Amino acid sequence: MKTRRVTFLPFDKTVEIDEGTKISEAAQKAGVYINNLCGGEGVCGECRVRVVRGEARQEDGATSFFSQEELDQGFVLACQTEVHDDLQVEIPAESMLEEEQIMTGETRDGVAQGDSVVVHEDQDLTLYPLKPLARKIFLELPEPSLEDNITDIERVSRELRRRIGWHSYEITLPCLRNLSDLLRGNQWQITVTVVRDNKGYKIQKIEPGDTTSSHYGLAVDVGTTTVVAQLVDLRTGRVLGVEGVHNTQAQYGEDVISRMIYACRKDGKGLQPLQDAVVKNINDLIDALVERMGIGREEIFAVVAAGNTTMSHLLLGLTPCSIRLEPYVPTADAYPQILASDIGIHIHPQGILNVLPSVASYVGGDIVAGVLSSGIADQDAVHGLIDIGTNGEIAIGNSEWLVCCSASAGPSFEGGGTTCGMRATRGAIEALTIENGSLTYETIGHAAPRGICGSGLIDCIYALVKNGIIGFDGKFDRKRDDPRLGWTDGVPHYVIARADETETGNPIVISEPDIDNLMKSKGSVYAAIKSLLDYIGMTFDMLDRFYVAGGFGSYLNIRKAINIGLLPDIPEERIRFIGNSSLTGARMALIHEEAFEKCQTVAKSMTNIELSNYQPYMDEYVASLFLPHTDRKLFPTVDY
Amino acid sequence: MKTRRVTFLPFDKTVEIDEGTKISEAAQKAGVYINNLCGGEGVCGECRVRVVRGEARQEDGATSFFSQEELDQGFVLACQTEVHDDLQVEIPAESMLEEEQIMTGETRDGVAQGDSVVVHEDQDLTLYPLKPLARKIFLELPEPSLEDNITDIERVSRELRRRIGWHSYEITLPCLRNLSDLLRGNQWQITVTVVRDNKGYKIQKIEPGDTTSSHYGLAVDVGTTTVVAQLVDLRTGRVLGVEGVHNTQAQYGEDVISRMIYACRKDGKGLQPLQDAVVKNINDLIDALVERMGIGREEIFAVVAAGNTTMSHLLLGLTPCSIRLEPYVPTADAYPQILASDIGIHIHPQGILNVLPSVASYVGGDIVAGVLSSGIADQDAVHGLIDIGTNGEIAIGNSEWLVCCSASAGPSFEGGGTTCGMRATRGAIEALTIENGSLTYETIGHAAPRGICGSGLIDCIYALVKNGIIGFDGKFDRKRDDPRLGWTDGVPHYVIARADETETGNPIVISEPDIDNLMKSKGSVYAAIKSLLDYIGMTFDMLDRFYVAGGFGSYLNIRKAINIGLLPDIPEERIRFIGNSSLTGARMALIHEEAFEKCQTVAKSMTNIELSNYQPYMDEYVASLFLPHTDRKLFPTVDY
């Protein structure tokens, strides 16, 4: 079959697919999310896209959604149009899933420098076979006879073994309760939902007839700042929709430490509100997703959640109190599979929840998910991963060994701790340049600026030092004559967007203390990477590839991140920005049994190096509080 | 250590025990149950026994329970008296557990012919090590340090592995919930309850401090007629008490078939009352046992129940509807371990219930328990087992192979279907002889007779034919001049106890139709044994041992059972009456993990031979409707 290339604008993502694939499917493969209210039936008209280059012809019925002018412009419904040519397809804002590019930040290969990047078929769809943690199997059983009078449940198990493999299937009493009548009342045709847990296989639900056409799962990234959920069609492994919300635990504490303190209040009443908050977040996300997709909550049967160790504890209602204090001991690092309803998540009453296992107090299931989704643990070559959030967690290794560590990065790259910092949502300045004295920026959603997010801050620091506005020590050149340079109470700041440009009517600035915080954040991250490599006797050039994950939205300028000394100065092409790898990993574990198993192995086999009392790390940290670094030789390609 | 023999009267049971053993423990080993309200503390005075032969000296404090006259007569408290001599000990009626000898009918080796029989240490205490399905283990954990900062639950698991073996322990969320605080609030001293299920090991409960001194289990025989429960001390495996009640399902139908019909009423409302009835029975038994032993319900943590396939289904709330009809298909033959509270059994909220697995629709967990407790499946030699109740279930085999079958025996041997039949409880005539025209009988509890139970009926048939009162065809010799021979509406009967002898003031009689029913019952049982042996190409003399179980109370005259053609004519010493082997097996599975595993293996490996459509069985049956049998050569030693 012939291969075609489709490039999606404005993301500039290109995917290679088989001829005849629908544009909507190509978009999914490319990690570009388009509205899909009717599930691809061509009846909602919500997946309008414009073919700007190449020939495409949609199904006849779909033309009724467009005016003649629109048809002339190349508008088609993505779900009703097959690809038979190399195409460029523009996705209008109204067809994008709300905030999708922001909240998920999911991308496989880098979008560095705005280059067009070929997104191959998702690794998770090729490395592992599609075997969701909860599988629905339609069975037509032979009727019993005197020659074949095994028990009803054994008849079910026998057919299951024939269909999905020679396992022993654990049975729950509710599934047995009505089985006899159910089989005999429905011509021996049933749909069995089999669930994989830490130990084996379990028959979790038996329904009359064939219900396999409706089977959904949820992948959740439980972040300290943001909770993001993907609704996944478990028949295909495809993402149907994604939603994100602020983690409303924030009302009890902005960062992990302050939430632990709240959870461990002496009156013993701190834990429940934190659990309730995140459970409500997830329920709200489910509400939004099922409403948009027009399905019922109870059609969702499996949830896989990834989060740091504290978030995982809080979600499950486990006290995180001893995580915070030396010797940093969590209650558990592997969590039992439970009914989602056990903690109040509203999906099918028998539906399951798996929280991905942690490695240590400060290396959680989100990093295990990241290792999984980046494929580090599947390679002979040594790869690295850093997930930059409030903490920077780093994993290095290959299929033979894995080490990890974590370092407090501070909230700077997530939009906290700076005067005008914000999360990577609509209106955030995500890219910025100063050239020939002229400052230009781009905002997410092309909206009026409301603040500046992590990737914008990285660009900003680089632009400031590159143009000599700040020195290598991060201090402003106080002698410089620059209209954007201002002072508040003796503290210098730089105006990025004037009051008349912004949505709020307040200027967006970066102050010297902001820069100081960013220097500490980037120094902490770099020092952690360096210390971990030193610890295992490796150097940067031994890293075949280095993945960067984190809440930067869909955009991170790798070159500039190197230039400010956040990332090591290795050839740029070895560094890949992979967005929200926690979410990707959670989805992989949801739809691939082998990926789920791999998570357990990764979590168990990864060696955590505790940096908090490790003197070389402290030394590295101090040396990193400079642009790009005290030891310039470590950054030979930096251009200032 | 020196071995001593203790014989318990009036049961005439002898046990060999180590010198220094308490009389109360010796009684338990002998299967003789003595009141034990205070748990052996010597404070309730309820275990009064009289040493009639041999020297025994009780603890000084115990003498206060007796008058000088009693002390002179040899009265001691069984729990306060060690054995240092061969003893004969008489147990007064008031010290016996109520109805114990009746309801449990548990005995290991035969009590045939009233001979004194040595009861060796229970097989279940020697063949398998003591490892209850639910084990309590007190752990003193090392406090975590930076060098040893594994998670709390892993710290628990690690210590468990050291203590009870290298398993992976499944964790339930409730156990994790409070673990962190629980460990740190109790100097790292906890008691863990580990449960074995069909798949592996599970940490089911974690408590502060050392609670191992209180740990109980319940073995239940869920019979169609009677539900019997033993309270077992899981620390020692010893039986602390036993209680039995009529299965109140009887209100919905006397036998299994009529209960199935009720359960499968068209309105769908038949199943619940049947489940409720047996659950209430079990709860009532628990109430009685915990009240007598002075423990709390929640101190019971594990229940193992054995019953026929229909009883097992009804207990678990599974419809038995397709069991009854060709091709006789149960919903399940292996049942998941559940929380006892899931079906309303009131023990510890996290306590478990295991229902022993069945083999087929008419060969249930009670027979699996019987195979287990008789040890058939552990021997090289071929042994047989028959459990005589409303059905006669037969198992034959050895450690290599097992076959089984079942045949409807009718209710005669359980006290139904005859004019004056009754269960083997107080006042039942359980033994009977007619010698030189003089009829003598014994009743259970030496009470005034109220009726005649299975063992009494066997004796009765034998006495009647032996004395020529009935012929080989079971018909009365109508010409005989016998004052006990009477007529009602033209139907002859024989008076066993005159109206003035009985409790009710009504005579106890056996009529010709009664005898006819008994002939059918014994014929059916014998034909089944014979057919099964023929089927596998064996003869009676190849049976190294033949165990007989059933609701005969503690008494069954083997010789007379052979003489009437109920049991095959093999040397008597090869036949052992083992009482309620279902209850014994349930207790073994409760206290020996390996016995529990063995049940699963036995249930899976046993081949069921369906007799219902098997012509040779029908032929054998017809030939068996004679005393002792149409083919006299099969019963060469019969003495009439």
Side-chain angles (χ1 to χ4, degrees):
Chain A
M1 199 174 285
K2 209 159 173 216
T3 296
R4 295 294 185 184
R5 290 165 64 95
V6 183
T7 301
F8 290 96
L9 304 174
F11 307 108
D12 211 4
K13 286 191 185 178
T14 301
V15 69
E16 289 184 342
I17 42 88
D18 291 335
E19 192 168 287
T21 304
K22 296 260 167 68
I23 290 179
S24 51
E25 291 167 31
Q28 280 174 330
K29 282 188 188 165
V32 170
Y33 303 103
I34 304 177
N35 281 330
N36 178 22
L37 280 188
C38 65
E41 297 291 330
V43 295
C44 71
E46 295 284 334
C47 61
R48 296 152 56 102
V49 298
R50 191 163 80 94
V51 177
V52 293
R53 190 181 301 164
E55 285 280 333
R57 190 162 183 284
Q58 64 188 323
E59 301 285 324
D60 288 343
T63 56
S64 63
F65 285 96
F66 303 98
S67 68
Q68 188 56 47
E69 189 185 337
E70 285 174 323
L71 292 174
D72 293 343
Q73 287 172 359
F75 274 99
V76 296
L77 292 187
C79 74
Q80 297 295 307
T81 310
E82 290 181 355
V83 178
H84 292 280
D85 194 2
D86 289 346
L87 300 180
Q88 265 195 24
V89 176
E90 186 182 80
I91 302 170
E94 69 269 21
S95 293
M96 294 178 198
L97 291 188
E98 190 191 353
E99 287 205 303
E100 64 86 9
Q101 78 280 25
I102 300 158
M103 302 306 289
T104 69
E106 201 189 348
T107 162
R108 164 105 356 233
D109 271 318
V111 289
Q113 312 284 51
D115 287 350
S116 174
V117 171
V118 174
V119 180
H120 296 286
E121 274 233 316
D122 270 358
Q123 179 187 12
D124 56 340
L125 293 177
T126 51
L127 188 63
Y128 302 106
L130 182 68
K131 260 196 224 169
L133 277 196
R135 274 191 276 179
K136 264 191 176 183
I137 301 118
F138 173 60
L139 301 178
E140 295 180 278
L141 302 172
E143 281 196 37
S145 64
L146 272 179
E147 291 67 45
D148 175 28
N149 63 352
I150 56 173
T151 66
D152 288 340
I153 190 64
E154 182 52 29
R155 186 169 303 274
V156 173
S157 300
R158 182 177 67 183
E159 197 64 22
L160 276 181
R161 282 192 283 267
R162 284 181 186 156
R163 291 283 297 281
I164 66 168
W166 193 259
H167 307 299
S168 113
Y169 297 97
E170 193 188 336
I171 319 289
T172 58
L173 190 59
C175 283
L176 289 178
R177 278 266 160 76
N178 232 7
L179 182 61
S180 172
D181 295 344
L182 196 150
L183 291 171
R184 288 165 183 79
N186 294 282
Q187 297 82 49
W188 299 87
Q189 299 187 346
I190 53 168
T191 300
V192 178
T193 305
V194 175
V195 155
R196 168 65 198 252
D197 70 7
N198 299 330
K199 282 164 81 184
Y201 296 88
K202 193 155 53 175
I203 295 177
Q204 189 82 356
K205 188 175 55 156
I206 303 182
E207 299 166 294
D210 184 353
T211 69
T212 51
S213 66
S214 146
H215 191 36
Y216 302 97
L218 198 75
V220 188
D221 168 44
V222 183
T224 308
T225 309
T226 311
V227 182
V228 189
Q230 281 181 336
L231 182 68
V232 180
D233 187 337
L234 295 182
R235 292 173 304 169
T236 60
R238 296 276 160 75
V239 177
L240 300 178
V242 61
E243 286 283 345
V245 288
H246 278 279
N247 187 329
T248 50
Q249 287 176 341
Q251 64 191 294
Y252 306 106
E254 189 62 30
D255 57 24
V256 170
I257 297 291
S258 56
R259 287 186 213 166
M260 285 196 227
I261 292 171
Y262 189 90
C264 304
R265 281 164 43 160
K266 284 247 166 69
D267 67 2
K269 291 178 180 163
L271 181 58
Q272 191 66 50
L274 284 163
Q275 185 184 23
D276 291 348
V278 67
V279 166
K280 180 167 188 315
N281 286 156
I282 293 173
N283 280 330
D284 289 347
L285 294 173
I286 295 172
D287 275 340
L289 287 165
V290 300
E291 192 188 320
R292 191 200 305 157
M293 303 312 302
I295 67 166
R297 280 173 163 281
E298 71 292 340
E299 292 179 72
I300 301 175
F301 203 81
V303 180
V304 173
N308 65 48
T309 306
T310 301
M311 288 303 120
S312 301
H313 273 55
L314 293 177
L315 175 61
L316 291 170
L318 308 179
T319 170
C321 305
S322 50
I323 294 179
R324 188 167 62 90
L325 305 167
E326 198 179 293
Y328 318 113
V329 174
T331 296
D333 48 23
Y335 312 100
Q337 183 179 85
I338 61 172
L339 295 182
S341 59
D342 283 348
I343 60 163
I345 293 179
H346 302 316
I347 58 171
H348 188 283
Q350 293 296 314
I352 53 152
L353 166 68
N354 272 97
V355 176
L356 292 186
S358 307
V359 178
S361 279
Y362 290 101
V363 180
D366 46 355
I367 304 312
V368 171
V371 168
L372 181 77
S373 66
S374 60
I376 293 181
D378 303 297
Q379 314 284 338
D380 291 336
V382 176
H383 289 189
L385 165 73
I386 181 160
D387 191 348
I388 303 178
T390 309
N391 277 337
E393 294 102 345
I394 299 151
I396 291 173
N398 62 8
S399 56
E400 299 283 316
W401 55 269
L402 288 162
V403 297
C404 63
C405 69
S406 90
S408 171
S412 307
F413 293 121
E414 289 193 313
T418 53
T419 313
C420 297
M422 70 177 283
R423 286 191 311 124
T425 56
R426 190 170 299 269
I429 294 173
E430 64 169 346
L432 181 160
T433 54
I434 303 175
E435 267 173 37
N436 307 321
S438 165
L439 187 151
T440 55
Y441 56 76
E442 289 169 37
T443 62
I444 296 177
H446 306 291
R450 299 194 291 132
I452 183 163
C453 68
S455 55
L457 286 165
I458 289 167
D459 285 13
C460 182
I461 297 285
Y462 171 70
L464 292 176
V465 69
K466 165 83 177 166
N467 289 278
I469 302 166
I470 59 172
F472 301 154
D473 58 358
K475 303 299 177 197
F476 280 104
D477 175 5
R478 284 160 166 76
K479 296 185 200 115
R480 188 181 175 89
D481 177 25
D482 191 320
R484 288 180 181 265
L485 204 55
W487 299 79
T488 305
D489 300 333
V491 176
H493 65 248
Y494 192 81
V495 177
I496 295 162
R498 290 185 308 273
D500 61 354
E501 300 168 41
T502 68
E503 193 189 274
T504 59
N506 295 319
I508 293 169
V509 303
I510 185 165
S511 70
E512 206 167 77
D514 292 348
I515 294 167
D516 198 45
N517 279 339
L518 284 159
M519 298 276 276
K520 285 178 184 159
S521 291
K522 74 101 191 167
S524 170
V525 168
Y526 180 84
I529 306 171
K530 179 82 163 49
S531 303
L532 187 61
L533 280 170
D534 286 349
Y535 188 92
I536 57 175
M538 290 186 69
T539 53
F540 286 125
D541 57 2
M542 293 174 172
L543 290 180
D544 204 60
R545 190 164 288 193
F546 196 69
Y547 297 100
V548 181
F552 297 103
S554 60
Y555 174 84
L556 175 71
N557 188 311
I558 300 289
R559 183 62 246 171
K560 293 180 183 175
I562 297 172
N563 279 344
I564 70 163
L566 170 63
L567 297 178
D569 194 358
I570 59 175
E572 242 175 89
E573 63 274 14
R574 292 201 203 161
I575 302 182
R576 292 278 186 281
F577 177 57
I578 57 170
N580 188 338
S581 62
S582 169
L583 186 63
T584 310
R587 189 184 73 233
M588 289 172 69
L590 174 69
I591 60 179
H592 308 296
E593 195 180 297
E594 291 174 29
F596 174 75
E597 285 167 16
K598 187 87 189 181
C599 281
Q600 324 299 321
T601 321
V602 165
K604 272 191 202 126
S605 62
M606 193 141 57
T607 306
N608 179 49
I609 311 297
E610 190 60 65
L611 293 185
S612 58
N613 293 306
Y614 185 59
Q615 189 55 45
Y617 169 69
M618 296 312 295
D619 298 340
E620 285 294 343
Y621 172 65
V622 172
S624 300
L625 297 175
F626 212 68
L627 289 169
H629 193 276
T630 310
D631 182 1
R632 183 77 190 222
K633 289 197 299 292
L634 289 169
F635 287 85
T637 74
V638 165
D639 64 350
Y640 56 87
Chain B
M1 200 174 286
K2 209 160 173 214
T3 297
R4 296 293 185 185
R5 291 165 64 95
V6 183
T7 301
F8 290 94
L9 305 175
F11 308 108
D12 211 4
K13 285 190 184 177
T14 301
V15 70
E16 290 184 341
I17 42 90
D18 291 334
E19 192 168 286
T21 303
K22 296 258 167 70
I23 290 179
S24 52
E25 291 168 30
Q28 280 174 332
K29 282 189 188 166
V32 170
Y33 302 103
I34 305 178
N35 282 331
N36 178 21
L37 280 188
C38 66
E41 297 290 328
V43 294
C44 71
E46 296 283 334
C47 62
R48 297 151 57 101
V49 297
R50 190 161 80 94
V51 176
V52 294
R53 191 181 300 163
E55 287 279 334
R57 189 162 183 283
Q58 63 187 325
E59 300 285 324
D60 288 342
T63 56
S64 63
F65 285 95
F66 303 98
S67 67
Q68 188 56 47
E69 189 184 335
E70 285 174 324
L71 290 174
D72 292 345
Q73 287 173 1
F75 274 99
V76 295
L77 292 188
C79 73
Q80 297 296 306
T81 309
E82 290 182 355
V83 178
H84 292 280
D85 194 2
D86 289 348
L87 300 180
Q88 265 193 23
V89 176
E90 186 182 78
I91 300 170
E94 69 270 19
S95 292
M96 294 178 196
L97 290 188
E98 190 190 353
E99 287 204 304
E100 65 84 9
Q101 79 281 27
I102 300 158
M103 303 305 290
T104 69
E106 201 189 347
T107 161
R108 166 110 349 239
D109 272 317
V111 288
Q113 311 282 54
D115 287 351
S116 174
V117 171
V118 174
V119 180
H120 296 286
E121 274 235 315
D122 270 356
Q123 178 186 13
D124 55 343
L125 293 178
T126 50
L127 188 62
Y128 301 106
L130 181 68
K131 261 195 224 169
L133 276 197
R135 273 190 277 178
K136 264 192 176 181
I137 301 118
F138 172 60
L139 301 179
E140 295 179 277
L141 301 172
E143 281 197 37
S145 64
L146 271 178
E147 291 67 45
D148 176 27
N149 63 352
I150 56 174
T151 65
D152 289 340
I153 190 64
E154 182 51 29
R155 185 169 304 273
V156 173
S157 301
R158 182 178 67 183
E159 197 64 23
L160 276 181
R161 282 192 284 266
R162 284 182 187 156
R163 291 283 297 280
I164 67 168
W166 192 258
H167 308 298
S168 113
Y169 297 96
E170 194 187 336
I171 319 288
T172 57
L173 191 58
C175 284
L176 288 179
R177 277 267 160 76
N178 232 6
L179 182 61
S180 172
D181 295 343
L182 197 150
L183 291 172
R184 288 167 183 79
N186 294 280
Q187 296 85 46
W188 299 87
Q189 299 187 346
I190 53 168
T191 300
V192 178
T193 305
V194 174
V195 155
R196 167 67 198 247
D197 69 7
N198 299 330
K199 282 164 83 184
Y201 295 87
K202 194 156 51 175
I203 295 177
Q204 189 83 354
K205 188 175 56 156
I206 303 181
E207 298 166 293
D210 184 354
T211 69
T212 53
S213 65
S214 144
H215 190 36
Y216 302 97
L218 198 76
V220 187
D221 167 43
V222 184
T224 308
T225 309
T226 311
V227 182
V228 189
Q230 280 180 338
L231 182 68
V232 179
D233 187 336
L234 295 182
R235 290 174 303 169
T236 59
R238 299 274 161 77
V239 177
L240 300 178
V242 60
E243 287 282 344
V245 288
H246 277 278
N247 187 330
T248 51
Q249 287 177 341
Q251 64 191 297
Y252 306 107
E254 189 61 31
D255 56 25
V256 170
I257 296 292
S258 55
R259 288 187 213 166
M260 285 196 227
I261 291 170
Y262 188 90
C264 304
R265 283 163 42 161
K266 283 248 168 68
D267 66 2
K269 292 179 181 165
L271 181 58
Q272 192 65 52
L274 285 162
Q275 185 184 22
D276 291 347
V278 67
V279 167
K280 181 170 187 314
N281 287 155
I282 293 174
N283 280 330
D284 289 347
L285 294 173
I286 294 173
D287 276 339
L289 287 165
V290 299
E291 192 189 319
R292 193 202 301 158
M293 303 312 302
I295 67 167
R297 283 173 162 281
E298 72 291 341
E299 293 178 72
I300 302 175
F301 203 81
V303 181
V304 172
N308 66 47
T309 307
T310 301
M311 288 303 121
S312 301
H313 274 54
L314 293 176
L315 176 61
L316 291 170
L318 308 179
T319 170
C321 305
S322 50
I323 294 179
R324 188 167 62 91
L325 306 166
E326 199 180 290
Y328 318 113
V329 175
T331 296
D333 47 23
Y335 312 100
Q337 182 179 83
I338 61 171
L339 294 182
S341 60
D342 283 348
I343 60 165
I345 293 179
H346 303 316
I347 58 169
H348 188 283
Q350 292 297 314
I352 53 155
L353 167 68
N354 272 97
V355 176
L356 292 186
S358 307
V359 178
S361 279
Y362 290 102
V363 180
D366 47 355
I367 304 312
V368 171
V371 168
L372 180 77
S373 64
S374 60
I376 293 181
D378 303 297
Q379 314 284 337
D380 291 337
V382 176
H383 289 190
L385 165 73
I386 181 160
D387 190 348
I388 303 178
T390 310
N391 276 336
E393 293 102 345
I394 298 149
I396 291 173
N398 61 8
S399 56
E400 299 284 313
W401 56 269
L402 288 162
V403 297
C404 62
C405 70
S406 89
S408 173
S412 307
F413 294 121
E414 290 194 314
T418 53
T419 313
C420 298
M422 67 177 286
R423 286 190 311 123
T425 55
R426 191 169 296 269
I429 293 172
E430 64 170 347
L432 180 159
T433 55
I434 303 174
E435 266 172 37
N436 306 321
S438 164
L439 186 151
T440 56
Y441 55 76
E442 288 170 36
T443 62
I444 295 178
H446 305 292
R450 297 193 295 132
I452 184 164
C453 68
S455 55
L457 287 165
I458 290 168
D459 284 13
C460 182
I461 299 285
Y462 171 69
L464 293 175
V465 68
K466 165 82 176 169
N467 288 279
I469 303 166
I470 59 172
F472 300 154
D473 59 358
K475 304 297 177 198
F476 280 103
D477 175 5
R478 285 162 167 72
K479 297 186 199 113
R480 188 180 176 93
D481 177 26
D482 191 321
R484 290 180 180 265
L485 205 56
W487 298 79
T488 306
D489 300 334
V491 176
H493 65 248
Y494 191 81
V495 177
I496 294 162
R498 289 185 309 272
D500 60 354
E501 301 169 40
T502 69
E503 191 188 275
T504 59
N506 294 318
I508 294 168
V509 303
I510 186 165
S511 70
E512 207 167 79
D514 292 346
I515 294 167
D516 199 44
N517 280 337
L518 283 160
M519 299 276 277
K520 285 178 182 159
S521 290
K522 74 101 190 167
S524 170
V525 167
Y526 179 84
I529 306 170
K530 179 83 165 50
S531 302
L532 187 62
L533 280 170
D534 286 350
Y535 188 92
I536 57 175
M538 291 186 67
T539 53
F540 288 123
D541 58 1
M542 292 174 173
L543 290 181
D544 202 61
R545 190 164 288 194
F546 196 68
Y547 297 100
V548 182
F552 297 103
S554 58
Y555 175 85
L556 175 71
N557 189 312
I558 301 288
R559 181 65 249 170
K560 294 179 182 176
I562 296 172
N563 280 342
I564 70 163
L566 169 63
L567 297 178
D569 194 358
I570 59 176
E572 240 176 273
E573 63 273 16
R574 292 202 203 160
I575 301 182
R576 291 281 187 281
F577 176 56
I578 55 170
N580 188 339
S581 62
S582 170
L583 186 64
T584 310
R587 190 184 72 232
M588 288 173 68
L590 173 68
I591 60 178
H592 308 296
E593 194 181 299
E594 290 174 29
F596 174 76
E597 284 167 17
K598 187 87 188 180
C599 282
Q600 323 299 321
T601 321
V602 165
K604 273 191 202 127
S605 61
M606 194 140 58
T607 306
N608 180 49
I609 311 299
E610 189 60 67
L611 294 184
S612 59
N613 294 305
Y614 185 60
Q615 188 56 46
Y617 168 71
M618 297 310 296
D619 299 341
E620 285 293 343
Y621 172 66
V622 172
S624 300
L625 298 175
F626 213 68
L627 288 170
H629 192 277
T630 312
D631 181 359
R632 183 75 191 222
K633 288 199 299 294
L634 288 169
F635 287 84
T637 74
V638 166
D639 64 349
Y640 57 87

